């Protein structure tokens, strides 16, 4: 349960399980603004102590984080030192661990709030990408559930020193109904977010979803991306010089094939309809062979 593929499979499982009960699924994706930059040092060290870490470890992070100073350089110019009271360096080895520990109490408190208020919504989270999942017989009911949940999320994040990036908030609906599909827009203007309108496709954590979970757009996108990469392989050699065929084959298997099969765990499963994916994969494979 550590990769984007795990989150994608969990979400797909949620949707398919509720389709068995003839319930459509509504999702609301939100992003935390400058997540690594806004982590509060004092709150983080307090959380480290609460989770039961050795006092020496907490003291280490207290010295590592609190009271830090930084300086900017631009060519031959340098700024004076100034204090850095918040944030952990994005890309550092400790940043993912510290951010996960920081978010854990937030998710725990959020789950308790929703349980007390009896709001039937599921929560998925991957670093600073959060997802609220509501499943109801009507999209209007789901919109109300998502509105209430999003309001609680925004308020609770503020108490943790974090802010929702409203411009990146997205709503998407899943249904296998063959009838007309026209859910009402989700109006979040009273919370500070724009009114959200339903779309035909939705890209989340690298996966391209459609309403019926056919994943045709997802397979098209990554197959074409692989074909474009294969075309670039021509500059690496020909039949006279450059990479030999064995090396090109190795490059294809180690680099291009993983691009093509990105997220295949979501659409490749027992009794899944595979005629379209195999058609696109066969087209890509033929171009590679040529």
């Amino acid at each position: 349960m550590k990769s984007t593929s795990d989150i994608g499979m969990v979400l797909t499982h949620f949707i398919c399980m509720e389709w068995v009960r003839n319930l459509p699924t509504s999702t609301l994706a939100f992003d935390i603004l400058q997540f690594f930059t806004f982590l509060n040092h004092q709150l983080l060290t307090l959380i480290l102590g609460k989770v039961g870490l050795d006092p020496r470890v907490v003291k280490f992070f207290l010295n590592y984080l609190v009271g830090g100073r930084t300086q900017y350089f631009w060519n031959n110019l340098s700024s004076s030192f100034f204090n850095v009271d918040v944030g952990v360096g994005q890309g550092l080895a400790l940043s993912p661990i510290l951010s996960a520990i920081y978010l854990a109490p937030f998710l725990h408190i959020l789950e308790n709030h929703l349980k007390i208020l009896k709001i039937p919504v599921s929560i998925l989270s991957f670093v600073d990408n959060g997802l609220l999942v509501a499943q109801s017989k009507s999209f209007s009911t789901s919109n109300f559930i998502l509105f209430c949940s999003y309001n609680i999320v925004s308020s609770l994040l503020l108490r943790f020193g974090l802010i929702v990036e409203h411009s990146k908030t997205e709503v998407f609906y899943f249904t296998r109904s063959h009838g007309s599909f026209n859910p009402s827009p989700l109006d979040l203007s009273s919370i500070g977010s724009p009114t959200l309108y339903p779309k035909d496709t939705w890209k989340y954590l690298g996966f391209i979803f459609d309403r019926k979970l056919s994943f045709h757009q997802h397979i098209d996108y990554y197959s074409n991306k692989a074909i474009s990469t294969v075309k670039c392989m021509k500059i690496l050699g020909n039949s006279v010089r450059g990479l030999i065929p064995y090396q090109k084959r190795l490059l294809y298997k180690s680099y291009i094939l993983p691009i093509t099969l990105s997220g295949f765990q979501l659409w490749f499963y027992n009794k899944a309809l595979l005629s379209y994916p195999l058609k696109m994969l066969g087209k890509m494979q033929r171009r590679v062979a040529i």
Side-chain angles (χ1 to χ4, degrees):
M1 305 302 293
K2 297 177 181 178
S3 69
T4 55
S5 297
D6 294 321
I7 294 289
M9 286 189 287
V10 169
L11 176 59
T12 305
H13 176 73
F14 278 176
I15 297 165
C16 292
M17 287 298 293
E18 293 309 308
W19 279 354
V20 173
R21 300 167 54 194
N22 203 26
L23 291 177
T25 299
S26 303
T27 59
L28 183 68
F30 62 91
D31 194 80
I32 301 175
L33 179 67
Q34 297 290 319
F35 176 57
F36 290 100
T37 309
F38 283 174
L39 294 188
N40 185 284
H41 291 168
Q42 294 183 343
L43 178 58
L44 179 56
T45 51
L46 182 64
I47 293 172
L48 291 172
K50 289 289 185 180
V51 298
L53 291 178
D54 189 282
R56 290 172 295 179
V57 177
V58 178
K59 186 177 180 181
F60 164 76
F61 280 106
L62 190 65
N63 294 329
Y64 175 71
L65 294 170
V66 178
R69 297 195 304 163
T70 191
Q71 185 181 26
Y72 285 107
F73 289 91
W74 182 264
N75 293 332
N76 295 325
L77 302 176
S78 61
S79 69
S80 57
F81 281 96
F82 55 91
N83 295 329
V84 181
D85 300 322
V86 294
V88 295
Q90 187 169 356
L92 297 180
L94 289 174
S95 297
I97 301 169
L98 294 175
S99 62
I101 295 174
Y102 193 93
L103 272 186
F106 161 75
L107 294 171
H108 177 71
I109 295 170
L110 174 61
E111 192 173 40
N112 287 338
H113 270 55
L114 296 172
K115 191 178 295 183
I116 292 171
L117 297 173
K118 297 182 179 180
I119 299 176
V121 68
S122 301
I123 312 160
L124 295 176
S125 176
F126 186 81
V127 194
D128 59 341
N129 295 282
L131 188 68
L132 302 172
V133 183
Q135 294 163 316
S136 177
K137 289 186 177 180
S138 69
F139 287 116
S140 58
T141 303
S142 296
N143 278 355
F144 178 73
I145 293 171
L146 292 176
F147 175 85
C148 297
S149 305
Y150 188 68
N151 192 14
I152 295 172
V153 167
S154 301
S155 303
L156 192 57
L157 280 174
L158 281 175
R159 296 171 62 183
F160 275 76
L162 301 171
I163 304 171
V164 175
E165 193 167 359
H166 296 298
S167 61
K168 291 186 178 181
T169 304
E170 295 179 294
V171 67
F172 195 77
Y173 304 96
F174 296 91
T175 177
R176 59 179 178 178
S177 173
H178 296 288
S180 59
F181 177 79
N182 190 27
S184 302
L186 179 56
D187 186 7
L188 300 175
S189 56
S190 59
I191 310 177
S193 183
T195 301
L196 306 178
Y197 295 89
K199 300 181 294 185
D200 294 328
T201 59
W202 170 50
K203 190 170 185 180
Y204 179 66
L205 297 179
F207 311 116
I208 303 174
F209 292 95
D210 54 70
R211 287 196 296 270
K212 297 182 183 296
L213 287 182
S214 69
F215 292 103
H216 286 182
Q217 291 86 349
H218 176 89
I219 296 165
D220 285 347
Y221 175 82
Y222 283 103
S223 295
N224 290 326
K225 186 175 181 180
I227 290 174
S228 300
T229 309
V230 167
K231 289 180 179 179
C232 296
M233 287 177 61
K234 293 179 180 180
I235 66 175
L236 299 178
N238 52 34
S239 58
V240 178
R241 58 187 176 185
L243 294 184
I244 62 176
Y246 172 79
Q247 292 170 329
K248 289 185 178 181
R249 175 179 175 271
L250 183 63
L251 185 63
Y252 164 69
K253 293 181 69 175
S254 61
Y255 179 69
I256 295 172
L257 201 57
I259 292 176
T260 315
L261 298 178
S262 176
F264 80 97
Q265 300 95 331
L266 278 64
W267 53 262
F268 181 79
Y269 53 89
N270 188 29
K271 297 182 180 180
L273 298 175
L274 298 176
S275 57
Y276 186 83
L278 291 177
K279 176 184 175 182
M280 294 302 298
L281 293 176
K283 176 184 174 182
M284 185 276 303
Q285 188 100 328
R286 179 177 175 276
R287 294 295 295 269
V288 171
I290 293 174

